[in-house]
Amino acid sequence: MTAVSASDKADLVGVAETPATKAAEPRATLRQLRRLRFGLAAGAVLLLIVASAVLAPWLSPHDPLAVDIRHRLAPPAWMELGTGEHLLGTDQIGRDLLSRMIYGARVSMLVGLGAQVIVVLIGVPIGALSGYVGGRVDLVLTRFVDVMYAFPRLLFVILVMSMLGAGLLNIFIAIGLTGWVGIARQTRAQVLAIKEKEYMDAARALGVGAGRRLARHVLPNALTPIVVSVTFGIPEAIFTEAALSFIGVGINPPTPSWGQMVGEGQQYIRSYWHLCVFPSIAIAVTMLAFTFFGDGVRDALDPKMK
């Protein structure tokens, strides 16, 4: 019996290594990195925001709840008329704006992540059950999803918050109860495609039970759109919390919240712009970072982009 060389083995499997293919691999990797560079940069920004939220007691220069009437409505320290004690100035009752923004990051991160946990726990089972069982179950659940999708989401959230009252936990519940529709639709579509694959036919032929097929074969292969949907759902939840706090049905004062800070400072926008502009920038940067990070996650998990 003659020995088979390494190059012959490569030819047998159709992966012959040539100088052209070796040179193409680094170029493909560089192209992929260029596509993901915005996602990596956004991930770094998100790490900074999360770190500032976690380390808020050590990073905050002042107590975010401390009232100092003598220095109320002080402009940022780097402006000509700044007092030098408050880098971003103070609000209408003398509380340090930078400290309140740092602590406000905690609320935004908690709302974004906590609400998505509820969204996944509700939307994924409904979508998976609808797509996998089919028949009348799929018809009933699909019509229910369509009815929920017909309601304006923000108005529905405000209605739920009016019933439950303001508070962080109630915001989790309100956003979770109204935000699961999209992920349920995506999960259903993914399950419908996966259950027709050849390996699912093989699992059925081997006698694998329906529940085991769903848990071991269907859901793991449907994770990619679920993960991407969660990354895009976090900034939407943050914006919803900011809108609720802006109109006064979100976070209970004096707990710092970016949306609440914008709502409290909007009446001073002509004279003391910093009260609205800096929290608005924080909201915008966080939402953009999550959006770009979601794009990067989608490109990294999508096999068509590799």
Side-chain angles (χ1 to χ4, degrees):
M1 182 179 295
T2 59
V4 180
S5 64
S7 60
D8 292 335
K9 292 181 180 178
D11 292 335
L12 289 175
V13 296
V15 200
E17 294 184 356
T18 63
T21 57
K22 290 182 179 180
E25 291 179 358
R27 289 198 295 269
T29 303
L30 289 176
R31 286 196 298 270
Q32 185 176 2
L33 289 176
R34 282 196 295 268
R35 286 200 303 267
L36 300 178
R37 66 184 185 275
F38 288 112
L40 294 175
V45 173
L46 292 178
L47 284 177
L48 291 176
I49 296 174
V50 172
S52 65
V54 173
L55 302 176
W58 294 275
L59 296 178
S60 177
H62 300 276
D63 184 352
L65 304 181
V67 176
D68 185 4
I69 298 298
R70 293 180 303 173
H71 296 97
R72 63 185 298 268
L73 297 174
W78 41 268
M79 294 181 63
E80 183 179 357
L81 299 177
T83 62
E85 299 179 6
H86 305 281
L87 184 61
L88 299 183
T90 60
D91 64 6
Q92 64 275 14
I93 59 175
R95 294 173 297 190
D96 183 67
L97 197 63
L98 176 60
S99 301
R100 291 182 62 78
M101 287 182 58
I102 292 175
Y103 274 87
R106 284 185 164 186
V107 172
S108 295
M109 294 298 105
L110 286 174
V111 168
L113 297 176
Q116 289 306 301
V117 171
I118 300 178
V119 165
V120 170
L121 292 178
I122 298 177
V124 172
I126 291 178
L129 183 65
S130 176
Y132 192 75
V133 175
R136 293 184 177 180
V137 174
D138 183 32
L139 179 63
V140 172
L141 291 178
T142 302
R143 296 290 80 80
F144 176 64
V145 169
D146 291 339
V147 171
M148 292 294 297
Y149 193 77
F151 284 99
R153 183 181 177 187
L154 185 57
L155 294 179
F156 199 5
V157 172
I158 294 174
L159 177 62
V160 174
M161 288 298 299
S162 300
M163 297 172 57
L164 299 178
L168 187 60
L169 179 60
N170 292 339
I171 291 179
F172 291 166
I173 297 174
I175 297 177
L177 290 177
T178 59
W180 57 269
V181 178
I183 199 170
R185 282 184 162 185
Q186 290 184 349
T187 304
R188 175 183 177 273
Q190 196 73 5
V191 170
L192 285 174
I194 292 174
K195 76 175 187 178
E196 302 299 331
K197 299 292 185 181
E198 290 80 2
Y199 59 82
M200 293 299 297
D201 295 333
R204 281 190 290 268
L206 292 173
V208 180
R212 186 177 179 85
R213 292 199 304 268
L214 181 62
R216 296 293 300 273
H217 300 287
V218 177
L219 288 180
N221 288 288
L223 282 179
T224 297
I226 294 174
V227 172
V228 174
S229 178
V230 168
T231 57
F232 284 113
I234 291 175
E236 186 176 357
I238 291 174
F239 179 78
T240 302
E241 180 276 323
L244 293 174
S245 298
F246 180 85
I247 62 178
V249 295
I251 300 298
N252 286 318
T255 303
S257 166
W258 291 341
Q260 182 188 86
M261 294 168 66
V262 175
E264 292 177 347
Q266 53 91 20
Q267 58 183 320
Y268 303 98
I269 186 65
R270 295 182 180 274
S271 302
Y272 305 99
W273 56 269
H274 62 282
L275 298 181
C276 285
V277 170
F278 292 133
S280 300
I281 291 176
I283 296 173
V285 169
T286 303
M287 293 186 64
L288 283 175
F290 270 113
T291 301
F292 285 128
F293 183 71
D295 288 336
V297 171
R298 180 193 58 200
D299 293 344
L301 297 179
D302 189 355
K304 296 179 181 179
M305 301 294 293
K306 297 183 185 295

